[in-house]
Short mmCIF file of all heavy atoms in Angstrom, two decimals:
data_model
loop_
_atom_site.label_atom_id
_atom_site.label_comp_id
_atom_site.label_asym_id
_atom_site.label_seq_id
_atom_site.Cartn_x
_atom_site.Cartn_y
_atom_site.Cartn_z
N THR A 682 -86.82 27.37 194.89
CA THR A 682 -85.76 28.05 194.09
C THR A 682 -85.13 27.16 193.02
O THR A 682 -84.33 27.59 192.25
CB THR A 682 -84.63 28.54 195.04
OG1 THR A 682 -84.11 27.42 195.78
CG2 THR A 682 -85.15 29.58 196.01
N SER A 683 -85.49 25.85 193.04
CA SER A 683 -85.04 24.96 192.01
C SER A 683 -86.12 23.95 191.74
O SER A 683 -86.65 23.33 192.68
CB SER A 683 -83.74 24.23 192.36
OG SER A 683 -83.29 23.44 191.31
N ARG A 684 -86.50 23.74 190.49
CA ARG A 684 -87.70 23.00 190.16
C ARG A 684 -87.51 21.50 190.32
O ARG A 684 -86.38 20.98 190.25
CB ARG A 684 -88.07 23.27 188.69
CG ARG A 684 -88.51 24.71 188.44
CD ARG A 684 -89.04 24.83 187.05
NE ARG A 684 -88.05 24.77 186.02
CZ ARG A 684 -87.44 25.82 185.48
NH1 ARG A 684 -87.81 27.03 185.90
NH2 ARG A 684 -86.55 25.69 184.55
N GLY A 685 -88.64 20.83 190.52
CA GLY A 685 -88.64 19.33 190.59
C GLY A 685 -89.39 18.83 191.77
O GLY A 685 -89.80 19.58 192.69
N TYR A 686 -89.61 17.53 191.77
CA TYR A 686 -90.25 16.82 192.91
C TYR A 686 -89.30 15.71 193.34
O TYR A 686 -88.59 15.10 192.52
CB TYR A 686 -91.56 16.17 192.47
CG TYR A 686 -92.56 17.15 191.83
CD1 TYR A 686 -92.78 17.10 190.47
CD2 TYR A 686 -93.27 18.06 192.62
CE1 TYR A 686 -93.68 17.96 189.85
CE2 TYR A 686 -94.18 18.90 192.03
CZ TYR A 686 -94.40 18.86 190.66
OH TYR A 686 -95.29 19.69 190.09
N TYR A 687 -89.31 15.41 194.62
CA TYR A 687 -88.42 14.35 195.12
C TYR A 687 -88.93 13.84 196.44
O TYR A 687 -89.45 14.65 197.26
CB TYR A 687 -86.99 14.83 195.26
CG TYR A 687 -86.02 13.72 195.55
CD1 TYR A 687 -85.59 12.87 194.55
CD2 TYR A 687 -85.55 13.51 196.87
CE1 TYR A 687 -84.72 11.83 194.80
CE2 TYR A 687 -84.65 12.49 197.11
CZ TYR A 687 -84.26 11.61 196.09
OH TYR A 687 -83.38 10.59 196.36
N ARG A 688 -88.79 12.53 196.65
CA ARG A 688 -89.16 11.93 197.90
C ARG A 688 -87.92 11.15 198.39
O ARG A 688 -87.35 10.36 197.63
CB ARG A 688 -90.35 11.01 197.77
CG ARG A 688 -90.66 10.23 199.05
CD ARG A 688 -91.99 9.52 198.93
NE ARG A 688 -92.23 8.63 200.09
CZ ARG A 688 -93.44 8.21 200.49
NH1 ARG A 688 -94.50 8.59 199.83
NH2 ARG A 688 -93.56 7.42 201.50
N GLY A 689 -87.53 11.36 199.63
CA GLY A 689 -86.35 10.66 200.13
C GLY A 689 -86.16 10.88 201.61
O GLY A 689 -86.95 11.57 202.27
N ALA A 690 -85.09 10.28 202.15
CA ALA A 690 -84.79 10.41 203.57
C ALA A 690 -83.87 11.62 203.84
O ALA A 690 -82.94 11.86 203.09
CB ALA A 690 -84.15 9.14 204.05
N VAL A 691 -84.15 12.28 204.93
CA VAL A 691 -83.44 13.53 205.32
C VAL A 691 -82.10 13.22 205.91
O VAL A 691 -81.92 12.26 206.69
CB VAL A 691 -84.32 14.31 206.32
CG1 VAL A 691 -83.50 15.28 207.11
CG2 VAL A 691 -85.43 15.02 205.61
N LYS A 692 -81.10 14.02 205.58
CA LYS A 692 -79.82 14.05 206.30
C LYS A 692 -79.54 15.54 206.64
O LYS A 692 -79.41 16.38 205.73
CB LYS A 692 -78.68 13.50 205.43
CG LYS A 692 -78.80 12.04 205.10
CD LYS A 692 -78.67 11.14 206.33
CE LYS A 692 -78.73 9.67 205.95
NZ LYS A 692 -78.70 8.78 207.14
N VAL A 693 -79.49 15.82 207.94
CA VAL A 693 -79.29 17.20 208.36
C VAL A 693 -77.82 17.46 208.51
O VAL A 693 -77.10 16.76 209.21
CB VAL A 693 -80.00 17.46 209.73
CG1 VAL A 693 -79.75 18.91 210.17
CG2 VAL A 693 -81.49 17.20 209.60
N VAL A 694 -77.31 18.49 207.79
CA VAL A 694 -75.87 18.80 207.80
C VAL A 694 -75.71 20.22 208.31
O VAL A 694 -76.12 21.18 207.68
CB VAL A 694 -75.28 18.66 206.39
CG1 VAL A 694 -73.81 19.07 206.41
CG2 VAL A 694 -75.41 17.22 205.89
N ARG A 695 -75.06 20.37 209.48
CA ARG A 695 -74.84 21.70 210.07
C ARG A 695 -73.44 22.19 209.85
O ARG A 695 -73.17 23.36 210.01
CB ARG A 695 -75.15 21.66 211.57
CG ARG A 695 -76.62 21.46 211.88
CD ARG A 695 -76.88 21.48 213.37
NE ARG A 695 -78.33 21.45 213.69
CZ ARG A 695 -79.05 20.37 213.75
NH1 ARG A 695 -78.49 19.16 213.52
NH2 ARG A 695 -80.33 20.42 214.03
N GLY A 696 -72.53 21.30 209.50
CA GLY A 696 -71.16 21.67 209.23
C GLY A 696 -70.36 20.52 208.65
O GLY A 696 -70.91 19.43 208.37
N ILE A 697 -69.06 20.71 208.46
CA ILE A 697 -68.24 19.73 207.77
C ILE A 697 -68.22 18.39 208.50
O ILE A 697 -68.05 17.35 207.88
CB ILE A 697 -66.82 20.29 207.59
CG1 ILE A 697 -66.03 19.40 206.61
CG2 ILE A 697 -66.09 20.43 208.93
CD1 ILE A 697 -64.71 20.01 206.16
N GLU A 698 -68.40 18.43 209.82
CA GLU A 698 -68.40 17.20 210.61
C GLU A 698 -69.57 16.25 210.22
O GLU A 698 -69.53 15.04 210.53
CB GLU A 698 -68.44 17.47 212.08
CG GLU A 698 -69.71 18.12 212.60
CD GLU A 698 -69.76 19.64 212.41
OE1 GLU A 698 -68.83 20.18 211.82
OE2 GLU A 698 -70.75 20.25 212.85
N ASP A 699 -70.61 16.83 209.54
CA ASP A 699 -71.76 16.01 209.16
C ASP A 699 -71.69 15.58 207.72
O ASP A 699 -72.59 14.86 207.23
CB ASP A 699 -73.07 16.81 209.37
CG ASP A 699 -73.34 17.10 210.85
OD1 ASP A 699 -73.02 16.26 211.68
OD2 ASP A 699 -73.88 18.19 211.15
N PHE A 700 -70.69 15.99 206.97
CA PHE A 700 -70.63 15.69 205.54
C PHE A 700 -70.69 14.20 205.23
O PHE A 700 -71.31 13.74 204.28
CB PHE A 700 -69.36 16.28 204.92
CG PHE A 700 -69.44 17.76 204.59
CD1 PHE A 700 -70.38 18.58 205.25
CD2 PHE A 700 -68.59 18.34 203.68
CE1 PHE A 700 -70.41 19.93 204.98
CE2 PHE A 700 -68.63 19.66 203.41
CZ PHE A 700 -69.59 20.46 204.03
N ALA A 701 -70.01 13.41 206.06
CA ALA A 701 -69.86 12.00 205.75
C ALA A 701 -71.16 11.25 205.80
O ALA A 701 -71.26 10.16 205.18
CB ALA A 701 -68.85 11.37 206.73
N LYS A 702 -72.17 11.73 206.52
CA LYS A 702 -73.39 10.96 206.66
C LYS A 702 -74.33 11.12 205.44
O LYS A 702 -75.34 10.40 205.37
CB LYS A 702 -74.13 11.30 207.93
CG LYS A 702 -74.68 12.72 208.00
CD LYS A 702 -75.36 12.92 209.37
CE LYS A 702 -75.98 14.32 209.49
NZ LYS A 702 -76.61 14.49 210.81
N VAL A 703 -74.03 12.04 204.54
CA VAL A 703 -74.87 12.21 203.35
C VAL A 703 -74.65 11.05 202.39
O VAL A 703 -73.51 10.76 201.99
CB VAL A 703 -74.58 13.57 202.65
CG1 VAL A 703 -75.39 13.71 201.38
CG2 VAL A 703 -74.83 14.71 203.63
N GLU A 704 -75.73 10.38 202.00
CA GLU A 704 -75.66 9.29 201.07
C GLU A 704 -76.28 9.66 199.72
O GLU A 704 -76.99 10.66 199.63
CB GLU A 704 -76.41 8.08 201.68
CG GLU A 704 -75.91 7.66 203.06
CD GLU A 704 -76.83 6.69 203.74
OE1 GLU A 704 -78.01 6.55 203.23
OE2 GLU A 704 -76.43 6.07 204.75
N ALA A 705 -76.04 8.84 198.75
CA ALA A 705 -76.62 9.08 197.43
C ALA A 705 -78.15 9.10 197.55
O ALA A 705 -78.73 8.14 198.04
CB ALA A 705 -76.19 8.02 196.42
N GLY A 706 -78.78 10.16 197.07
CA GLY A 706 -80.22 10.24 197.13
C GLY A 706 -80.77 10.88 198.38
O GLY A 706 -82.00 10.99 198.53
N SER A 707 -79.92 11.30 199.30
CA SER A 707 -80.39 11.96 200.52
C SER A 707 -81.05 13.27 200.21
O SER A 707 -80.69 13.99 199.28
CB SER A 707 -79.20 12.20 201.50
OG SER A 707 -78.66 11.00 201.95
N VAL A 708 -82.04 13.64 201.06
CA VAL A 708 -82.57 15.00 201.03
C VAL A 708 -81.67 15.82 201.93
O VAL A 708 -81.71 15.65 203.18
CB VAL A 708 -84.03 15.06 201.47
CG1 VAL A 708 -84.52 16.50 201.52
CG2 VAL A 708 -84.92 14.22 200.55
N LEU A 709 -80.91 16.69 201.37
CA LEU A 709 -79.91 17.47 202.10
C LEU A 709 -80.58 18.62 202.79
O LEU A 709 -81.19 19.49 202.16
CB LEU A 709 -78.83 17.98 201.12
CG LEU A 709 -77.68 18.81 201.68
CD1 LEU A 709 -76.90 18.00 202.70
CD2 LEU A 709 -76.80 19.29 200.56
N VAL A 710 -80.49 18.68 204.14
CA VAL A 710 -81.08 19.75 204.95
C VAL A 710 -79.95 20.51 205.59
O VAL A 710 -79.13 19.95 206.31
CB VAL A 710 -82.03 19.18 205.98
CG1 VAL A 710 -82.63 20.32 206.83
CG2 VAL A 710 -83.15 18.41 205.36
N ILE A 711 -79.85 21.84 205.30
CA ILE A 711 -78.73 22.64 205.71
C ILE A 711 -79.22 23.99 206.26
O ILE A 711 -80.33 24.43 205.91
CB ILE A 711 -77.75 22.90 204.59
CG1 ILE A 711 -78.43 23.61 203.41
CG2 ILE A 711 -77.09 21.58 204.11
CD1 ILE A 711 -77.50 23.97 202.25
N PRO A 712 -78.41 24.65 207.12
CA PRO A 712 -78.82 25.98 207.55
C PRO A 712 -78.59 27.03 206.46
O PRO A 712 -79.33 27.98 206.32
CB PRO A 712 -77.92 26.24 208.76
CG PRO A 712 -76.74 25.32 208.57
CD PRO A 712 -77.24 24.11 207.85
N TYR A 713 -77.54 26.85 205.67
CA TYR A 713 -77.14 27.73 204.56
C TYR A 713 -76.05 26.97 203.81
O TYR A 713 -75.69 25.84 204.17
CB TYR A 713 -76.64 29.08 205.06
CG TYR A 713 -75.38 28.95 205.88
CD1 TYR A 713 -74.10 29.01 205.31
CD2 TYR A 713 -75.47 28.74 207.27
CE1 TYR A 713 -72.99 28.85 206.05
CE2 TYR A 713 -74.33 28.59 208.03
CZ TYR A 713 -73.07 28.64 207.43
OH TYR A 713 -71.97 28.49 208.21
N SER A 714 -75.48 27.57 202.76
CA SER A 714 -74.33 26.94 202.12
C SER A 714 -73.45 27.99 201.48
O SER A 714 -73.92 29.08 201.14
CB SER A 714 -74.75 25.90 201.10
OG SER A 714 -75.05 26.49 199.87
N ASP A 715 -72.18 27.63 201.27
CA ASP A 715 -71.30 28.39 200.42
C ASP A 715 -70.54 27.42 199.54
O ASP A 715 -70.88 26.25 199.44
CB ASP A 715 -70.37 29.31 201.23
CG ASP A 715 -69.46 28.53 202.14
OD1 ASP A 715 -69.31 27.31 201.94
OD2 ASP A 715 -68.90 29.12 203.07
N VAL A 716 -69.48 27.90 198.87
CA VAL A 716 -68.81 27.08 197.87
C VAL A 716 -68.30 25.77 198.47
O VAL A 716 -68.29 24.74 197.83
CB VAL A 716 -67.64 27.88 197.23
CG1 VAL A 716 -66.87 27.00 196.23
CG2 VAL A 716 -68.18 29.09 196.49
N GLY A 717 -67.85 25.82 199.73
CA GLY A 717 -67.28 24.64 200.36
C GLY A 717 -68.25 23.48 200.52
O GLY A 717 -67.87 22.32 200.74
N TRP A 718 -69.56 23.80 200.42
CA TRP A 718 -70.54 22.77 200.56
C TRP A 718 -70.94 22.09 199.24
O TRP A 718 -71.70 21.11 199.24
CB TRP A 718 -71.86 23.32 201.21
CG TRP A 718 -71.64 23.88 202.59
CD1 TRP A 718 -70.72 24.79 202.99
CD2 TRP A 718 -72.45 23.60 203.73
NE1 TRP A 718 -70.86 25.06 204.33
CE2 TRP A 718 -71.93 24.36 204.81
CE3 TRP A 718 -73.56 22.81 203.94
CZ2 TRP A 718 -72.46 24.33 206.10
CZ3 TRP A 718 -74.13 22.76 205.22
CH2 TRP A 718 -73.57 23.49 206.29
N THR A 719 -70.39 22.61 198.13
CA THR A 719 -70.79 22.13 196.82
C THR A 719 -70.65 20.61 196.63
O THR A 719 -71.52 20.00 195.98
CB THR A 719 -69.96 22.89 195.72
OG1 THR A 719 -70.20 24.26 195.87
CG2 THR A 719 -70.38 22.43 194.30
N PRO A 720 -69.61 19.95 197.13
CA PRO A 720 -69.52 18.49 196.93
C PRO A 720 -70.74 17.71 197.41
O PRO A 720 -71.02 16.64 196.87
CB PRO A 720 -68.25 18.09 197.70
CG PRO A 720 -67.43 19.34 197.75
CD PRO A 720 -68.42 20.48 197.83
N LEU A 721 -71.46 18.25 198.41
CA LEU A 721 -72.63 17.54 198.89
C LEU A 721 -73.72 17.45 197.85
O LEU A 721 -74.54 16.52 197.83
CB LEU A 721 -73.16 18.24 200.14
CG LEU A 721 -72.28 18.26 201.36
CD1 LEU A 721 -72.98 19.03 202.51
CD2 LEU A 721 -71.98 16.85 201.84
N PHE A 722 -73.76 18.42 196.94
CA PHE A 722 -74.86 18.48 195.97
C PHE A 722 -74.74 17.34 194.95
O PHE A 722 -75.72 16.99 194.26
CB PHE A 722 -74.86 19.84 195.25
CG PHE A 722 -75.32 20.98 196.12
CD1 PHE A 722 -74.49 21.50 197.12
CD2 PHE A 722 -76.57 21.52 195.94
CE1 PHE A 722 -74.93 22.53 197.93
CE2 PHE A 722 -77.00 22.59 196.75
CZ PHE A 722 -76.16 23.06 197.73
N THR A 723 -73.55 16.76 194.76
CA THR A 723 -73.41 15.67 193.82
C THR A 723 -74.12 14.40 194.29
O THR A 723 -74.40 13.51 193.52
CB THR A 723 -71.92 15.38 193.60
OG1 THR A 723 -71.32 14.93 194.82
CG2 THR A 723 -71.18 16.59 193.07
N LYS A 724 -74.35 14.32 195.64
CA LYS A 724 -75.01 13.14 196.18
C LYS A 724 -76.51 13.39 196.40
O LYS A 724 -77.28 12.44 196.39
CB LYS A 724 -74.40 12.77 197.55
CG LYS A 724 -72.93 12.29 197.49
CD LYS A 724 -72.47 11.92 198.87
CE LYS A 724 -71.08 11.35 198.86
NZ LYS A 724 -70.63 10.93 200.23
N ALA A 725 -76.89 14.64 196.66
CA ALA A 725 -78.24 14.93 197.12
C ALA A 725 -79.31 14.70 196.05
O ALA A 725 -79.08 14.93 194.85
CB ALA A 725 -78.34 16.34 197.65
N GLY A 726 -80.48 14.25 196.53
CA GLY A 726 -81.63 14.16 195.62
C GLY A 726 -82.49 15.41 195.66
O GLY A 726 -83.25 15.65 194.72
N ALA A 727 -82.38 16.17 196.74
CA ALA A 727 -83.09 17.43 196.87
C ALA A 727 -82.43 18.22 198.00
O ALA A 727 -81.63 17.68 198.78
CB ALA A 727 -84.58 17.16 197.22
N LEU A 728 -82.78 19.50 198.07
CA LEU A 728 -82.16 20.41 199.06
C LEU A 728 -83.26 21.18 199.81
O LEU A 728 -84.22 21.64 199.22
CB LEU A 728 -81.24 21.41 198.36
CG LEU A 728 -80.77 22.56 199.26
CD1 LEU A 728 -79.64 22.08 200.15
CD2 LEU A 728 -80.34 23.76 198.46
N ILE A 729 -83.10 21.24 201.15
CA ILE A 729 -83.90 22.11 201.97
C ILE A 729 -82.96 22.96 202.78
O ILE A 729 -82.03 22.42 203.43
CB ILE A 729 -84.81 21.27 202.92
CG1 ILE A 729 -85.71 20.32 202.13
CG2 ILE A 729 -85.67 22.20 203.78
CD1 ILE A 729 -86.46 19.34 203.02
N ALA A 730 -83.11 24.25 202.75
CA ALA A 730 -82.24 25.19 203.50
C ALA A 730 -83.09 26.08 204.41
O ALA A 730 -84.17 26.52 204.03
CB ALA A 730 -81.40 26.02 202.56
N GLU A 731 -82.54 26.38 205.62
CA GLU A 731 -83.29 27.23 206.51
C GLU A 731 -83.24 28.71 206.12
O GLU A 731 -84.12 29.47 206.54
CB GLU A 731 -82.71 27.06 207.96
CG GLU A 731 -83.14 25.80 208.63
CD GLU A 731 -82.86 25.81 210.14
OE1 GLU A 731 -81.91 26.55 210.52
OE2 GLU A 731 -83.60 25.13 210.90
N SER A 732 -82.27 29.07 205.30
CA SER A 732 -82.13 30.46 204.94
C SER A 732 -81.86 30.55 203.45
O SER A 732 -81.77 29.51 202.74
CB SER A 732 -80.98 31.11 205.69
OG SER A 732 -79.78 30.40 205.47
N GLY A 733 -81.70 31.77 202.96
CA GLY A 733 -81.36 31.97 201.56
C GLY A 733 -82.57 32.42 200.73
O GLY A 733 -83.71 32.43 201.17
N GLY A 734 -82.20 32.81 199.50
CA GLY A 734 -83.23 33.28 198.52
C GLY A 734 -82.96 32.65 197.19
O GLY A 734 -82.18 31.69 197.04
N ILE A 735 -83.55 33.21 196.16
CA ILE A 735 -83.44 32.65 194.82
C ILE A 735 -81.99 32.67 194.27
O ILE A 735 -81.58 31.80 193.56
CB ILE A 735 -84.40 33.39 193.83
CG1 ILE A 735 -85.83 33.12 194.23
CG2 ILE A 735 -84.14 32.94 192.41
CD1 ILE A 735 -86.83 33.85 193.37
N LEU A 736 -81.22 33.67 194.68
CA LEU A 736 -79.83 33.81 194.20
C LEU A 736 -78.81 33.45 195.28
O LEU A 736 -77.66 33.77 195.13
CB LEU A 736 -79.57 35.22 193.65
CG LEU A 736 -80.18 35.53 192.31
CD1 LEU A 736 -79.69 36.88 191.79
CD2 LEU A 736 -79.88 34.45 191.29
N SER A 737 -79.27 32.78 196.33
CA SER A 737 -78.28 32.29 197.29
C SER A 737 -77.46 31.14 196.63
O SER A 737 -77.91 30.52 195.67
CB SER A 737 -78.94 31.74 198.55
OG SER A 737 -79.80 30.68 198.26
N HIS A 738 -76.27 30.90 197.19
CA HIS A 738 -75.38 29.89 196.58
C HIS A 738 -76.05 28.55 196.49
O HIS A 738 -75.99 27.85 195.44
CB HIS A 738 -74.12 29.81 197.42
CG HIS A 738 -73.19 28.74 196.91
ND1 HIS A 738 -73.21 27.44 197.42
CD2 HIS A 738 -72.26 28.72 195.94
CE1 HIS A 738 -72.30 26.72 196.78
NE2 HIS A 738 -71.73 27.48 195.89
#
Side-chain angles (χ1 to χ4, degrees):
T682 59
S683 183
R684 296 188 286 265
Y686 306 105
Y687 189 77
R688 175 172 173 157
V691 159
K692 295 295 182 183
V693 179
V694 177
R695 292 182 172 85
I697 193 171
E698 66 277 4
D699 294 325
F700 280 21
K702 67 181 182 181
V703 178
E704 302 168 347
S707 295
V708 176
L709 180 62
V710 179
I711 58 176
Y713 62 90
S714 84
D715 62 17
V716 177
W718 297 51
T719 303
L721 296 177
F722 289 74
T723 62
K724 295 183 176 181
L728 170 78
I729 303 171
E731 283 195 333
S732 58
I735 293 177
L736 286 187
S737 62
H738 176 267

